[in-house]
Amino acid sequence: MASIPMSKRLTRDNLHGVWAAIATPWDESGRFDKAEFRENIRRLAAAGVHGIYTTDSDGEFYAIELDEFKQIVKVFADEAGRLGVPTMVGVTWVNTQGIIDRIQYAASVGILGTHVGRPFFMPMTPESDRAYWQDIQKATPEHFGLVHHNTARVHNTQNGHGYAELIKFVPQLIGSKNTSSDVREFMHVVTYAPQIAHLTGEGTVTPFMMLGAKGVNSWFVNFNPEFMLDWYDDAMNRRWNAAIQKQQRMYAFMEAKKMLAGSGNLHGIVSKATAAASPFLIESNVTRKPYLPVPKETVAQFRRVVEEKFQDLMWRG
């Protein structure tokens, strides 16, 4: 049987590659900028990324109510569908029904899968957690892929035994989005749940792909997609010396961009500022309150650091 292309359906067997975490662009009045969003999707597609996702941490999901989520996802599905790019959206919310509403809308407009976490205000008891996943499984279309957003920040950590149990009654679960840099934790996941595709982040691309990761969920792709795609290709083809060198350069870059974190910026705030220091995408350094953007002066300072110390990581077009 011929394998299903990722542009048609996401499965445990085909989920792989460099997935771009596209930001949600707001204009100066805080309104969704459709034209900028479409153009940045086009640029990422032309660069050759394997897939694009939005409305996750870097997409400022916490700032988007359901009506606007539908507006953003409809534009996303339309533009990415026209270009033939595989898609996922983040659906994390504060209650089960809000997550289900987002999953079902995304599936209805042609999105292929989602990053799904648990409601994040409080940890859940084991009984509540099982009931939550049962509700998600029942509400999710059979063809729609679920990727668990495995992050301790929202009481979301899952180990290999947990995934092995989930696989038994959530057939739509196709993968995990791992944010941990703990090698033992990742080994536990890939050892006890090898049936699903595990993706990592920039901080652990080389070691985790050595251990079985299938790809990377990337913010750096918005700064320089060519670097990320070359890095993934190095790892896939076991050019480990080259992959290690890229990991070392990424470590240095991530250390340098700590200036963007300031007194506590995280996620999309920092990622928008990072992308604003590159000419690759249309600049989108407006964030929604209560989270303020990184000041323009700090972004300009970071850009100077990049030009001085990271010529090899800059986008050349």
Side-chain angles (χ1 to χ4, degrees):
M1 182 181 295
S3 61
I4 302 171
M6 236 181 6
S7 58
K8 299 297 183 183
R9 182 176 175 180
L10 300 177
T11 71
R12 294 175 179 178
D13 294 327
N14 72 8
L15 179 59
H16 73 282
V18 176
W19 281 76
I22 192 170
T24 306
W26 316 114
D27 65 20
E28 293 297 334
S29 298
R31 294 170 299 202
F32 173 52
D33 191 326
K34 296 180 184 179
E36 181 177 322
F37 194 48
R38 286 183 182 273
E39 175 59 22
N40 283 343
I41 292 168
R42 288 193 287 266
R43 293 187 187 188
L44 285 165
V49 299
H50 298 92
I52 307 174
Y53 66 95
T54 190
T55 63
D56 214 343
S57 303
D58 281 2
E60 298 176 79
F61 76 90
Y62 46 81
I64 303 168
E65 301 292 345
L66 182 58
D67 286 349
E68 195 166 38
F69 172 89
K70 291 180 177 180
Q71 178 189 12
I72 293 166
V73 171
K74 182 67 169 68
V75 173
F76 182 48
D78 177 67
E79 192 64 37
R82 186 179 65 80
L83 297 167
V85 181
T87 52
M88 283 192 272
V89 298
V91 296
T92 300
W93 201 243
V94 295
N95 56 62
T96 301
Q97 191 57 53
I99 292 172
I100 288 172
D101 290 341
R102 286 161 174 77
I103 288 174
Q104 292 183 336
Y105 181 77
S108 75
V109 296
I111 299 296
L112 301 179
T114 183
H115 292 164
V116 57
R118 300 185 183 98
F120 52 83
F121 179 61
M122 294 184 293
M124 286 192 281
T125 65
E127 296 81 8
S128 293
D129 182 64
R130 186 173 181 86
Y132 166 75
W133 281 107
Q134 288 173 336
D135 290 339
I136 295 299
Q137 189 280 319
K138 291 175 184 176
T140 300
E142 180 183 355
H143 68 276
F144 194 74
L146 300 176
V147 172
H148 177 238
H149 192 163
N150 196 12
T151 171
R153 187 174 298 281
V154 291
H155 318 297
N156 237 6
T157 303
Q158 191 72 270
N159 63 21
H161 294 316
Y163 282 125
E165 182 63 28
L166 281 178
I167 291 167
K168 294 176 183 177
F169 67 96
V170 187
Q172 301 97 321
L173 182 65
I174 63 170
S176 71
K177 176 185 179 182
N178 284 275
T179 62
S180 171
S181 59
D182 189 302
V183 171
R184 290 185 65 185
E185 287 182 8
F186 187 72
M187 282 295 295
H188 197 274
V189 164
V190 296
T191 298
Y192 290 98
Q195 302 94 326
I196 62 177
H198 303 285
L199 275 69
T200 186
E202 280 83 357
T204 52
V205 171
T206 299
F208 281 13
M209 288 196 70
M210 283 181 172
L211 297 172
K214 301 299 184 183
V216 54
N217 297 295
S218 176
W219 49 263
F220 188 80
V221 74
N222 298 313
F223 186 90
N224 184 349
E226 183 177 9
F227 180 89
M228 287 306 305
L229 290 163
D230 286 349
W231 191 3
Y232 172 76
D233 190 63
D234 285 340
M236 285 297 295
N237 289 286
R238 299 181 177 274
R239 295 189 293 266
W240 296 124
N241 287 338
I244 289 170
Q245 290 174 1
K246 288 183 173 66
Q247 188 74 68
Q248 291 169 333
R249 292 302 287 154
M250 179 56 61
Y251 173 78
F253 184 89
M254 292 171 70
E255 286 292 296
K257 81 180 183 75
K258 285 181 178 178
M259 69 173 64
L260 302 176
S263 57
N265 295 316
L266 291 171
H267 301 308
I269 313 305
V270 174
S271 293
K272 279 188 168 180
T274 303
S278 168
F280 172 53
L281 298 182
I282 299 175
E283 182 176 333
S284 177
N285 195 33
V286 178
T287 59
R288 273 196 166 167
K289 294 181 177 179
Y291 305 101
L292 302 177
V294 176
K296 293 180 180 179
E297 297 79 11
T298 307
V299 175
Q301 180 186 0
F302 178 64
R303 188 180 297 115
R304 290 192 293 271
V305 170
V306 170
E307 291 170 351
E308 178 183 348
K309 298 182 178 181
F310 298 99
Q311 286 284 325
D312 57 319
L313 302 189
M314 294 176 62
W315 169 251
R316 302 297 181 183

